[in-house]
Amino acid sequence: IQHQISRLTQKIYDNPATKLADIYIDFVSGKTGSYRPEWERMHTDACFGKFKKVFTKSVSRFGRDTVEGLQMIQSLRANNVEVIFDNEELHSFSPDFDLLYTVAVAQAQFENEDRSDNIRKGIMMQSDNPESKLYNRKCYGYEHDANGELVIVESEAEVIRMIFTMYIEGASVITISNKLSELGISSPTGKEKWSNRTIDTILQNEKYTGEVLLFKTVTGDYPNTKASRLTANMKLCTDHHAPIISKEVFNEAQLRRHKKVLKRINSKRDRSLEQLR
């Protein structure tokens, strides 16, 4: 990002007829549906005549959705503001810009899809090797030794065992969180308060039994990259590293979790039926 800022601001300073008005940066995805406050601020400033030109690195940095991007460009043009795309050398005041922009966005999307597919294939190939670093990703309770292998951090392992024991004995996730705070045990990120999500994630992590399960979730194809559950491509490596808890303890915790989920579903169904009556 710093390189992009440096290049574009230099182009402005190299032209005596131009002066830098502002810099707008959104640190979020440009895909459809993503809220981009700086994008909105840029549009507002354009309406108030703060600048006459917008320099951006490429069509994929401006907006990956063709319709949304063209709508913004048309609105900027209505305010006599020109958009200049550095990589593609496109100028929004050009007569054939809309067609060229649409083609450029399509090409950028194709390249992103191709890159995403290659990355996915590379990860799948790595997973075929039991020695792959994919299997040695550390989590709370483990650290890497000199060879990059997972080894137990005993002080953290005691906390893991406490969480599973309390949960199996009937404590709720909220109760466990409060107990850890009372004991002055910091969360994996160093916070005083443990989030319910962190504890729930620990309770679902089979890595504490010495196993590694890859591809528990899958990310959709670009641009619909939301992660979802998938079982077809899961890969399980058993007895991969030293366990913190037994498989029996882990399975008992999963059974209780499933019962709680089923109870919530049934309760929600009963309320819905009651409302219908």
Side-chain angles (χ1 to χ4, degrees):
I1 189 68
Q2 291 301 325
H3 176 73
Q4 293 178 43
I5 295 172
S6 176
R7 174 175 171 77
L8 294 177
T9 52
Q10 191 61 49
K11 288 173 71 72
I12 294 171
Y13 288 132
D14 286 346
N15 185 348
T18 59
K19 179 181 179 181
L20 180 64
D22 208 335
I23 298 175
Y24 305 87
I25 306 171
D26 276 310
F27 292 96
V28 294
S29 171
K31 66 184 181 182
T32 307
S34 299
Y35 176 60
R36 303 168 68 188
E38 287 292 274
W39 164 280
E40 297 294 341
R41 186 171 73 88
M42 176 189 70
H43 182 251
T44 300
D45 288 349
C47 293
F48 281 97
K50 184 174 180 178
F51 49 77
K52 290 299 180 182
K53 293 181 185 292
V54 174
F55 290 86
T56 185
K57 178 190 175 185
S58 64
V59 294
S60 64
R61 291 294 180 266
F62 188 76
R64 297 189 180 99
D65 181 85
T66 308
V67 175
E68 184 184 53
L70 281 175
Q71 288 176 341
M72 174 63 82
I73 290 166
Q74 289 165 1
S75 179
L76 292 174
R77 279 196 301 227
N79 286 280
N80 199 32
V81 174
E82 182 180 27
V83 183
I84 300 170
F85 298 88
D86 189 42
N87 282 7
E88 296 82 7
E89 297 184 349
L90 293 177
H91 296 249
S92 64
F93 282 178
S94 300
D96 55 353
F97 171 80
D98 287 10
L99 174 61
L100 294 176
Y101 176 81
T102 302
V103 172
V105 171
Q107 177 65 24
Q109 181 171 334
F110 172 78
E111 291 174 355
N112 278 323
E113 290 173 349
D114 188 55
R115 186 181 303 113
S116 176
D117 187 54
N118 288 336
I119 292 173
R120 185 180 292 110
K121 288 178 179 177
I123 293 175
M124 291 297 292
M125 290 177 64
Q126 288 183 51
S127 69
D128 292 331
N129 178 14
E131 303 299 322
S132 170
K133 292 182 179 180
L134 289 174
Y135 291 95
N136 281 320
R137 290 175 176 171
K138 66 180 182 179
C139 60
Y140 184 76
Y142 289 99
E143 64 182 359
H144 289 140
D145 63 12
N147 298 319
E149 302 294 329
L150 291 175
V151 293
I152 294 175
V153 179
E154 192 54 42
S155 59
E156 296 177 358
E158 290 179 3
V159 179
I160 298 296
R161 297 187 190 105
M162 181 192 307
I163 290 173
F164 274 91
T165 299
M166 290 183 65
Y167 188 76
I168 291 172
E169 290 177 350
S172 67
V173 170
I174 296 176
T175 300
I176 296 173
S177 173
N178 292 335
K179 182 63 175 179
L180 293 173
S181 297
E182 289 175 11
L183 295 173
I185 300 173
S186 300
S187 74
T189 56
K191 297 179 180 178
E192 294 182 6
K193 179 69 175 178
W194 285 65
S195 71
N196 296 342
R197 175 62 180 166
T198 298
I199 295 173
D200 199 45
T201 299
I202 286 174
L203 289 169
Q204 297 179 70
N205 195 345
E206 74 292 328
K207 188 167 284 187
Y208 296 124
T209 67
E211 296 182 343
V212 179
L213 184 61
L214 297 181
F215 311 124
K216 290 184 284 189
T217 60
V218 63
T219 301
D221 294 328
Y222 179 89
N224 301 312
T225 55
K226 184 177 179 179
S228 60
R229 292 284 176 179
L230 185 72
T231 59
N233 293 324
M234 286 185 179
K235 291 194 176 183
L236 178 66
C237 182
T238 59
D239 301 321
H240 177 266
H241 52 272
I244 291 176
I245 60 172
S246 68
K247 293 180 182 178
E248 290 75 18
V249 168
F250 181 78
N251 291 337
E252 191 173 350
Q254 304 320 297
L255 180 60
R256 180 165 187 256
R257 286 190 70 260
H258 295 156
K259 286 181 178 179
K260 287 172 69 69
V261 171
L262 185 60
K263 184 178 180 180
R264 284 199 298 268
I265 293 174
N266 289 336
S267 177
K268 185 176 181 180
R269 181 200 60 191
D270 292 342
R271 287 197 299 270
S272 297
L273 290 174
E274 186 64 30
Q275 289 174 357
L276 289 173
R277 293 193 188 100

